[in-house]
């Protein structure tokens, strides 16, 4: 952290969203280059062998933190790894790369630095949503300034992603209600620039028993049992 912030001093003590985004992007790019250099000595397959044997280092109150940080760690390690692996080392028929004090230190340093990179990602997302930042004294990342409405929306989104069941691969808002069952009509959503359309096309009813509609006004909700309108 000290080395990163010394190499990338903040342009001001208070950063508006756009300035915060630029500064955090600079921090991200600098840290990524450090990670690529750190990953260079081992082949990508060797990195994956080490990283997938690490204990839980990324636990957080959100269930999505661990899979996100692990995926990020594997991505930066395999992206920075340039050394080829001509043959896999085998021991009693199993792949077994060497584990030395130097290896352990390098792997843990990569994991620790990845956590820092993930923190920068989190701050970048907040800056993109319009949150300003305060730069504290000492070796600390910029801290988001209070914005209750945006923070409430972020917390709600994070909870929806965590509760959806597929973690970071899920949308923040479910399209289908919890009452949806297999065989029920599905909602269909079309997105386009309205000025490019003479009317808003839609489909009302079930996939087999519905009919197409075109209109300029707001779409009506389907009657009970008639299926979905999109």
């Amino acid at each position: 952290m000290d080395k990163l912030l010394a190499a990338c001093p903040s342009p001001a003590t208070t950063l508006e969203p756009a300035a915060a985004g630029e500064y955090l992007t600079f921090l991200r790019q600098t840290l990524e280059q450090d990670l690529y250099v750190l990953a260079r000595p081992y082949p990508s397959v060797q990195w994956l062998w080490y990283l997938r044997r690490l204990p839980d280092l990324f636990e957080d109150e959100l269930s999505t933190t661990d899979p996100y940080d692990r995926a990020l760690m594997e991505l930066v390690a395999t992206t920075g790894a340039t050394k080829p692996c001509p043959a896999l080392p085998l021991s009693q028929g199993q792949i077994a790369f060497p584990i030395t004090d130097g290896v352990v230190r390098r792997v843990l340093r990569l994991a620790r630095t990845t956590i820092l990179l993930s923190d920068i990602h989190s701050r970048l997302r907040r800056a993109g949503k319009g949150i300003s930042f305060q730069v504290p004294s000492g070796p600390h990342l910029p801290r988001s300034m209070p914005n209750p409405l945006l923070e409430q929306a972020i917390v709600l989104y994070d909870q929806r992603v965590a509760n959806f069941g597929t973690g970071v691969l899920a949308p923040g808002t479910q399209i289908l209600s919890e009452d949806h069952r297999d065989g029920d009509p599905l909602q269909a959503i079309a997105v386009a620039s309205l000025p490019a359309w003479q009317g808003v096309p839609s489909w009302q009813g079930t996939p087999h028993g519905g009919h197409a509609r075109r209109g300029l006004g707001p779409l009506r909700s389907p009657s009970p049992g008639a299926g979905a309108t999109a």
Side-chain angles (χ1 to χ4, degrees), residues 18-165:
E22 292 178 0
Y23 177 58
L24 290 166
T25 297
F26 183 39
L27 291 178
R28 174 187 64 79
Q29 293 171 339
T30 303
L31 197 60
E32 285 174 354
Q33 294 305 312
D34 291 344
L35 281 164
Y36 296 154
V37 172
L38 184 62
R40 194 172 296 161
Y42 305 148
S44 57
V45 64
Q46 186 172 351
W47 271 116
L48 292 178
W49 192 88
Y50 292 140
L51 299 180
R52 293 180 179 179
R53 284 161 175 78
L54 283 178
D56 293 331
L57 301 175
F58 309 103
E59 289 186 344
D60 188 72
E61 59 183 13
L62 283 174
S63 61
T64 53
T65 300
D66 179 82
Y68 182 89
D69 287 0
R70 283 187 175 273
L72 181 61
M73 181 176 59
E74 292 186 4
L75 176 64
V76 296
T78 54
T79 301
T82 57
K83 186 177 180 180
C85 182
L88 294 175
L90 299 177
S91 175
Q92 298 179 350
Q94 300 290 325
I95 298 174
F97 287 96
I99 299 177
T100 64
D101 288 345
V103 166
V104 172
R105 285 194 294 268
R106 184 175 292 272
V107 170
L108 292 180
R109 183 182 170 193
L110 183 108
R112 180 184 62 189
T113 309
T114 298
I115 293 175
L116 177 58
L117 180 61
S118 178
D119 286 344
I120 293 174
H121 284 189
S122 176
R123 286 163 170 79
L124 269 169
R125 288 191 289 271
R126 277 171 162 73
K129 292 176 174 65
I131 293 180
S132 299
F133 283 80
Q134 190 77 32
V135 181
S137 59
H140 303 287
L141 291 176
R143 295 171 181 166
S144 58
M145 298 175 67
N147 190 322
L149 289 178
L150 279 176
E151 288 295 341
Q152 183 180 5
I154 291 171
V155 170
L156 179 60
Y157 176 86
D158 288 341
Q159 290 174 344
R160 287 174 171 174
V161 173
N163 293 335
F164 193 76

